[in-house]
């Protein structure tokens, strides 16, 4: 399974690498770390943003 990067909005927090399965299993712990959370898949050019008000957005970067 592809590794994903977890990034929080606090610049002093480390970027954590994990699998989608582990992130889903521990989503409450992932979300509580920061105000906003981004889950990034560099290989597939996809990003998931978990906004502090509960909104979840998915972005796809199309390479040309």
């Amino acid at each position: 399974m592809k590794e994903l990067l977890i990034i929080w909005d606090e610049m002093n927090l480390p970027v954590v690498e994990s699998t989608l399965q582990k992130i889903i299993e521990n989503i409450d712990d992932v979300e509580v770390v920061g105000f906003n959370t981004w889950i990034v898949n560099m290989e597939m050019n996809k990003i998931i943003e978990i906004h502090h008000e509960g909104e979840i957005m998915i972005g796809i970067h199309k390479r040309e």
Side-chain angles (χ1 to χ4, degrees):
M1 179 168 280
K2 299 198 182 329
E3 295 293 318
L4 304 173
L5 302 176
I6 305 170
I7 304 168
W8 293 278
D9 58 352
E10 172 56 51
M11 66 183 246
N12 294 322
L13 293 172
V15 173
V16 175
E17 194 171 349
S18 186
T19 63
L20 182 58
Q21 179 177 344
K22 291 288 185 187
I23 293 170
I24 291 170
E25 290 172 359
N26 299 286
I27 193 66
D28 290 336
D29 295 326
V30 170
E31 288 184 274
V32 76
V33 174
F35 208 51
N36 294 310
T37 306
W38 294 269
I39 300 169
V40 180
N41 182 317
M42 298 295 284
E43 291 179 26
M44 297 179 69
N45 298 316
K46 295 183 181 178
I47 185 167
I48 300 170
E49 177 185 18
I50 303 172
H51 192 263
H52 66 274
E53 293 182 355
E55 185 175 298
I56 297 174
M57 298 180 66
I58 298 174
I60 300 170
H61 179 265
K62 294 183 180 180
R63 291 185 184 175
E64 294 184 23

